[in-house]
Every structure is written in structure tokens, then in C-alpha cells.
Amino acid sequence: MIRWVAWAAALAIGVAAPHGASTSSVPAVERSATVAVLSATETSLEAQVAAWIAELAKDEAFWSWKDATWRKAPLGPGQHGWVIFVNGQGGAALGYMVVGAKPEGGYELLEYGVGEFSLFSSEVLHRALGSDGLEGVAFTSNARVERLYFDPMHAFWQVSEGGVTRYADAANGAWLPIAEEDVYRLKVATSSPESLSGKRLHIMKKPGDPYLDLDWLDAPDASIRGWGDFAAWLSGRGDGEAMYAGAAFGGAVTTPVGVAGYHWWPSADGSQAAGASLRGYVALDQEGLTRYAPLERLLAVGAFR
């Protein structure tokens, strides 16, 4: 399989896609899904999402989330999760969360982010469908669209019509050079993260930019096994020097992004002492979208450089 660098494809799509085009080309199934609202039988999910938003709004990077509204859209069949679109009072897009249902009950925050175009947003899907990245394929409004999320580097749209199925990156709309058998082989990493000590929220003033600095291509993978290693590695990097190279689909798709810092949640009693309830997320900068994802999931599908 030909090796594909996702950010190069994203550049091509960014040029080809019409910025102000109508959403009428988005398949009807997607338009109906993204406006879904919570039903009265989902109050536990509603309460959990509201609690996460309120907790995030305490930190400077998420102050705009205070009193925010939100809506949900389901992930694909068997995913047992949702993408949550967070909006300001005026309807402006503030960011997103990816939520999964745990087998034992309750919900898990798999990823979250801030930016104008959220992960799995209709705008990103429209960008993909309006690009010229598909050779000999033209999807219509009758296409079946599903969101698939396995980990931060395996988040994509599945678009099918007339016996043809293609996959587009959920963050930038780049069409991926993968087939259905590649998707079937995906497995979710389930290891638990270690605790992180230090500041609750640390965001670099200038995250790395893989478009401007190509040193990451030849840099060796950092030896990071957990939060202790990550903290030591990050402290030795300057602004603009920390990179993460995602290797999706067994290395067929390389996605380099800048490391913007980290964010972690306090223990259940509100303290910052180490404990089983601590949960840390690495902040990644991807074309203006700041994505927060668990460290262990990133280590399973890529490396820091």
C-alpha cells in the first residue's frame, strides 16, 4: 500500500474545496443526524456531558464553554458512543467531545477539542465531498454516511453509495487510501494511563507546525511509556519543537501534528494528588483545531518526536 501523508492531502483539499458552498451537497442522513437532540430517556448522558463542560469551563482555554449549548450525533454501528458539538449562545462552534459508553455503565470522555471546525462536523464532511480527491467517484446526497472512531488517529467518515465505500479523515476531510478490510482490523487500545503531577493545564504559546519544520521526518521516536516520560520529554522541548507522528492503518497514513501541551483532570475529591481517578490528555494542534486525547491511545498509534 502506498504510504500517504495526511497533511499533504489536507492541503490539496483546502485548495479545492469551495469555502462558502451550500451544505445541500451533504448527504441527507448526515444533515438529519447532526441536528439530533437528547430525548428524555437519556438524562444520565445529558448530566454527564453537562458536568464535563462545566469542569472544562473552569480552565482558561475553555472559558468560552461556560453556559454553552451542545448537541450530539451518534458514532457508527457498534461504536457505542457520540460526538458532542459544543456551541456558544450565538450558535458559534466552540469545540467538541467524543464520548463512549462503558460496558460496566456510565460514560468515558475519549477526546475533546476546541476550534472553529469540530471533529466530525458537517463542515468537514462538506469539504471532503466538495474536493477533487476522489478519482472516478462522485457521491450524491443519497450517500450513506457514518462516523467511525477508534482512537485519535483513527477517526474518520465512512461514505458509501452504489456499492462504493470511501473514507475521509474526520479532522480535515482528507480522503484516506484505505479499504474496508483495513477498517475491520482496527482495535481500540484499552490500557490505563498513569497519573500526571504538575499544572492542571499547560498549553504552549507556539505549538509545533509540521508544515514549516520538517525535522520530525528524520527525528527518532522518543522513548515514552507513560506520563512521567512524556512530562520529562516535553519539558526538554521548546515552543514549536514538540511533534507527534501518528501512524494510522499500520503506518499507511502518517499524520504529523504539533504537541500543544497537556490537560489533566483532578481526582474525585478535587485535589491534584495522584490517584486512580486522575485522567490526563495530550493537547495536539492540527490545523487550528486543538485536540485533547489520552496519552496511551496516542502511544498505541504513533510516536512523539
Side-chain angles (χ1 to χ4, degrees), residues 9-26:
L11 280 178
I13 284 180
V15 173
H19 177 72
S22 168
T23 57
S24 60
S25 63
V26 177

Side-chain angles (χ1 to χ4, degrees), residues 52 98-102 106-110 279 281 296-297:
W52 279 328
V98 179
V99 178
K102 297 190 291 186
Y107 305 96
E108 180 181 13
L109 183 57
L110 301 176
R279 182 70 166 173
Y281 295 78
E296 76 278 7
R297 288 177 175 261

Side-chain angles (χ1 to χ4, degrees), residues 161-182:
E161 186 176 17
V164 177
T165 298
R166 295 291 186 270
Y167 302 90
D169 189 278
N172 56 36
W175 291 102
L176 303 172
I178 60 174
E180 293 183 60
E181 55 265 28
D182 297 308

